[in-house]
Amino acid sequence: MDYFYYFSDDWISYIKIKIKGFGLNIFLNKKILIYGLGKSGLSAFKFLKNKNEIFLFDDYHLIKKDLLIQKNFLSLKKISKFKFDLIILSPGIDINKCKLSKFLKKNLNKIYSDLDVFYSFYKNDCITITGTNGKSTTCQLMYEVLLNQKFDVKLVGNIGNPILSAKDVKKKTIFIVEASSYQLEYSKIFKSKYAAILNLSPDHIERHKTLNRYVRSKFKLLENQIKRNFAFVKKGDPLIEKELKRKKYVGKIIKVDTSSINNLLRNINNKYFFTETNQANLLFVLEMSKKLKLNNNLLIKTVQKFNGLKYRQQIILKRKYLTIVNDSKSTSFSSSIGLLKASDNIYWLIGGVYKKGDKFELPKKYFHNIKAFIYGKNKKFFNRKLENKIIYENFKSLKDALKHILIIIKKERFINKTILFSPSAASFDDFRNFEDRGLYFNKLVKRYINETK
């Protein structure tokens, strides 16, 4: 491998630049605009500020105490007067709905993501996981599996830890990356040795405009792979299978049959994996573990102890005749289906900001097991989707719906019931995010649960 060296202005430190197939590291000694000052944008600023001339912009300039940010912040009027070499775009920025929309569309070829910056500076192995549902859970499980087998591993990406905020990175460090369609849409050069697309269903259509664009943003992971890379995809998923037929990929495609029972799965006795959804997530981890040549005994021990993540199919109360599940992370019908299949006598709390193009595709044989309690401002949408399928009632608020359910359960105390809070919708009507919504639900349960005693 050939090397060049870039000397900083003080002539003391230097940065080694590896030559890649596309040339030198493109994120050195450049004039760069970072647009979006959330976690991702700020981590990119801290990472690149000593290597480039950095400018900052955000639609809402809320960070006023940081003098360095103030110094590098450009006003809206000044943006058009500058000629930038590159633009780092935070995932939350929608090119079609932001203050710099016209400017960005004129400079599409200059737009990159924090994933691209990471790839330019590090050559570590990455296990990058995307899909419509189950990304965070699968990433967390894969992280714990590798950690318990003494790997130097870091969990980054959409799960909450910006990839450029990673510290103490060594050559052997493995990165578990949760990648959203937003991140992948803006990425140009990021590559991952191991990639997984867990499943695909209509999601974020309001951002991507069409289902095809959403699907192809996910498949960027496969398009950028090279020989001796591995891509794990769900076997039989209609959208995945359709896209696989559209073009050939260089990396090795491994189809994960989530409908089959893996031999290792038979040895696992963990209630967390009682749903089809979590079993599918686990099967992806098992398939990836084969390629990584992990110790199966240690793997099983890790899976047995896995508790999942907050507000994702989380059992928050378990009594003799009552189970309460907090699945606030559910933002579409497809993310609720696995839980709706898993139990009898389900009281389903549903409501929020519905997803454009979302379809309710629960098999008919499960309809009689469920009664829906619909709350919030978008009740008409959910009424139309469930009409002539599932019995439902409408309520003004989540609090009113839960109180009503608990009154019913008090009268039917000797019948097994499951209260399933799986909203199948985004949380932004009444909450900041799904975590805020999940915490609110837990507080409601704590307040009202004594009524069932």
Side-chain angles (χ1 to χ4, degrees):
M1 177 72 72
D2 295 324
Y3 296 94
F4 281 96
Y5 293 90
Y6 165 76
F7 289 88
S8 63
D9 291 337
D10 58 15
W11 292 94
I12 296 175
S13 62
Y14 63 85
I15 301 170
K16 183 183 290 186
I17 307 172
K18 291 186 178 181
I19 294 182
K20 305 183 185 69
F22 53 81
L24 299 176
N25 188 319
I26 61 173
F27 296 99
L28 285 172
N29 200 26
K30 294 293 196 308
K31 185 179 289 187
I32 299 175
L33 173 67
I34 296 176
Y35 185 8
L37 297 179
K39 288 183 178 180
S40 172
L42 289 176
S43 66
F45 173 54
K46 290 176 183 178
F47 188 88
L48 292 169
K49 65 183 180 180
N50 295 324
K51 309 172 181 71
N52 301 273
E53 188 178 1
I54 302 294
F55 299 91
L56 306 172
F57 185 78
D58 191 281
D59 284 357
Y60 307 98
H61 189 202
L62 303 176
I63 306 172
K64 297 181 179 180
K65 293 183 179 180
D66 193 312
L67 294 178
L68 188 58
I69 291 175
Q70 287 293 327
K71 182 181 177 182
N72 291 274
F73 194 91
L74 289 179
S75 67
L76 186 60
K77 291 181 180 179
K78 289 183 179 179
I79 293 285
S80 59
K81 297 178 182 178
F82 278 76
K83 186 175 181 180
F84 302 102
D85 298 309
L86 304 168
I87 301 169
I88 308 298
L89 209 55
S90 293
I93 301 296
D94 183 347
I95 286 179
N96 297 301
K97 296 179 181 179
C98 64
K99 289 183 178 180
L100 298 183
S101 181
K102 291 182 180 179
F103 173 79
L104 293 176
K105 288 176 181 178
K106 289 180 181 178
N107 293 277
L108 288 174
N109 63 319
K110 296 181 180 180
I111 293 175
Y112 292 85
S113 74
D114 59 341
L115 294 178
D116 296 325
V117 177
F118 167 84
Y119 180 75
S120 292
F121 284 91
Y122 298 107
K123 285 295 166 283
N124 297 66
D125 285 349
C126 289
I127 301 170
T128 305
I129 296 171
T130 193
T132 303
N133 302 308
K135 297 185 293 296
S136 296
T137 298
T138 308
C139 284
Q140 182 68 36
L141 179 56
M142 192 76 241
Y143 170 74
E144 292 185 18
V145 165
L146 290 177
L147 195 65
N148 290 339
Q149 303 214 14
K150 307 303 180 185
F151 282 82
D152 179 6
V153 59
K154 296 188 182 297
L155 180 61
V156 296
N158 198 52
I159 200 166
N161 311 309
I163 195 166
L164 294 177
S165 66
K167 306 294 183 185
D168 192 28
V169 179
K170 302 178 180 67
K171 287 184 179 180
K172 292 184 178 180
T173 303
I174 295 177
F175 284 81
I176 310 294
V177 185
E178 179 184 337
S180 70
S181 60
Y182 297 168
Q183 287 173 300
L184 295 172
E185 180 184 33
Y186 294 146
S187 294
K188 286 184 169 68
I189 61 175
F190 175 71
K191 291 179 174 62
S192 185
K193 183 174 181 179
Y194 305 94
I197 303 179
L198 304 178
N199 48 64
L200 288 178
S201 58
D203 201 10
H204 302 305
I205 305 303
E206 70 286 349
R207 166 78 173 257
H208 296 287
K209 304 305 179 187
T210 68
L211 180 57
N212 281 340
R213 286 180 63 180
Y214 169 67
V215 170
R216 285 170 192 176
S217 71
K218 299 288 192 180
F219 267 78
K220 271 194 175 182
L221 268 180
L222 276 61
E223 289 175 2
N224 288 350
Q225 285 191 311
I226 58 178
K227 288 183 178 179
R228 294 184 294 279
N229 286 180
F230 301 92
F232 302 83
V233 300
K234 181 181 178 181
K235 183 179 180 180
D237 185 295
L239 292 175
I240 291 176
E241 296 286 359
K242 180 182 177 182
E243 191 64 17
L244 286 175
K245 292 177 181 177
R246 194 177 69 87
K247 63 181 297 185
K248 291 184 178 180
Y249 298 92
V250 177
K252 182 176 175 57
I253 306 294
I254 298 170
K255 294 187 178 182
V256 180
D257 187 355
T258 58
S259 64
S260 67
I261 301 297
N262 184 289
N263 288 331
L264 281 177
L265 196 58
R266 292 190 176 93
N267 297 319
I268 292 166
N269 182 25
N270 181 342
K271 290 182 179 179
Y272 185 78
F273 297 103
F274 76 107
T275 66
E276 287 183 4
T277 306
N278 284 336
Q279 284 181 9
N281 297 337
L282 175 56
L283 284 167
F284 268 87
V285 170
L286 296 179
E287 286 298 321
M288 287 187 282
S289 296
K290 291 178 185 177
K291 291 298 177 186
L292 293 165
K293 299 179 180 178
L294 301 185
N295 181 296
N296 284 341
N297 291 330
L298 285 176
L299 173 62
I300 291 171
K301 286 181 180 179
T302 303
V303 174
Q304 295 282 35
K305 295 178 182 179
F306 186 70
N307 294 318
L309 296 165
K310 277 188 175 182
Y311 317 132
R312 295 167 173 87
Q313 304 191 12
Q314 182 186 19
I315 297 174
I316 59 170
L317 185 138
K318 182 74 173 175
R319 289 184 176 174
K320 190 174 182 181
Y321 297 107
L322 177 62
T323 300
I324 301 181
V325 180
N326 187 338
D327 189 37
S328 178
K329 183 61 172 69
S330 163
T331 57
S332 63
F333 284 124
S334 62
S335 58
S336 298
I337 295 298
L339 283 168
L340 293 172
K341 293 179 178 179
S343 305
D344 295 326
N345 299 322
I346 294 174
Y347 285 174
W348 181 22
L349 286 158
I350 176 176
V353 182
Y354 65 87
K355 292 290 184 71
K356 186 178 179 180
D358 202 9
K359 296 179 181 179
F360 183 61
E361 297 180 329
L362 181 72
K364 187 176 181 179
K365 65 179 181 179
Y366 296 101
F367 290 173
H368 71 282
N369 288 334
I370 305 162
K371 184 173 182 181
F373 297 79
I374 302 170
Y375 67 88
K377 301 171 186 175
N378 292 307
K379 291 187 283 287
K380 289 183 179 179
F381 170 82
F382 295 103
N383 289 175
R384 289 197 303 271
K385 294 295 181 179
L386 302 186
E387 197 167 7
N388 299 321
K389 296 178 181 178
I390 290 175
I391 297 171
Y392 63 82
E393 291 184 55
N394 290 317
F395 296 86
K396 183 178 180 181
S397 67
L398 173 59
K399 180 173 72 173
D400 293 341
L402 179 61
K403 286 180 72 174
H404 185 75
I405 291 173
L406 291 172
I407 290 170
I408 296 172
I409 287 176
K410 190 174 182 180
K411 296 176 182 178
E412 302 175 346
R413 62 171 65 246
F414 299 112
I415 302 174
N416 288 320
K417 296 286 184 184
T418 297
I419 297 177
L420 173 59
F421 179 49
S422 190
S424 297
S427 58
F428 305 124
D429 51 344
D430 294 313
F431 304 94
R432 288 174 296 177
N433 47 49
F434 78 88
E435 291 99 341
D436 186 39
R437 179 170 66 180
L439 179 61
Y440 176 75
F441 179 72
N442 282 355
K443 289 179 178 178
L444 287 180
V445 170
K446 189 175 182 180
R447 185 188 307 174
Y448 297 127
I449 195 60
N450 288 333
E451 296 179 18
T452 63
K453 290 184 177 179

